[in-house]
Amino acid sequence: RSSSMGGRSTQISGVAAGDYYVVVYSYEGAATTAVAYTLTLTLSPPGYSYIPAGTFTMGSPISEPDRGSDETQHEVTLTRAFWMKQTEVTQGEWQTLMGNNPSLFQGPSYPDAVNRPVEMVSWWDALAFANLMSSNAGLSSCYTLTGCSGTPGGGNYECTDATFAGAGCTGYRLP
């Protein structure tokens, strides 16, 4: 990280996420002014984009060619910020975490399969994946799965119920 103030640059290394107390000094003649700030630094998980809280317009304008009847413009408000993965979960990511690959588009005919999206994944499989991502990152699981049988990604995994921990859950979850 680098910053520039007053024509000087400062290189900062070894910075961790967290809250920092920062004091900025301003010198004008004999007077010195100090302004204190609390800076919260959040490091981006690789491959994720930060989606800030706020309001935006969703839908298509009436003048858009080929607009569908279900694309009415309306305001959407996100009440909290979050991180969203920039791509679908790849076969390589699934294989590394779950130990199997349920995808049809793999093998010698698809040498780049590890970079292709994983497919043939059920809702239950996706919840198990999100929970294991959370566990591996030291975060709370966002789903409590009960009555499960089979192997996630094995084509036979299902549960009788899933309970969402709520919007305050800090772990990985589905959009």
Side-chain angles (χ1 to χ4, degrees), residues 92-160:
E93 290 168 326
W94 182 276
Q95 176 76 43
T96 299
L97 188 68
M98 305 304 282
N100 61 27
N101 185 351
S103 300
L104 292 176
F105 298 98
Q106 62 171 309
S109 298
Y110 303 94
D112 64 338
V114 295
N115 297 316
R116 290 175 178 250
V118 67
E119 15 89 16
M120 305 304 294
V121 174
S122 73
W123 177 257
W124 302 114
D125 294 330
L127 297 180
F129 181 87
N131 278 351
L132 190 51
M133 287 279 294
S134 297
S135 176
N136 285 355
L139 303 171
S140 300
S141 293
C142 290
Y143 305 99
T144 301
L145 304 176
T146 54
C148 301
S149 61
T151 302
N156 62 348
Y157 186 66
E158 59 182 46
C159 304
T160 57

Side-chain angles (χ1 to χ4, degrees), residues 5 22 31 56 67 92 96 111 121 127-128 141 155 161 165 167:
M5 293 186 63
V22 179
F56 64 94
R67 177 181 178 271
T96 299
V121 174
L127 297 180
S141 293
D161 192 36

Side-chain angles (χ1 to χ4, degrees), residues 85-97:
K85 194 162 178 349
Q86 296 167 353
T87 64
E88 299 87 352
V89 173
T90 66
Q91 292 181 36
E93 290 168 326
W94 182 276
Q95 176 76 43
T96 299
L97 188 68

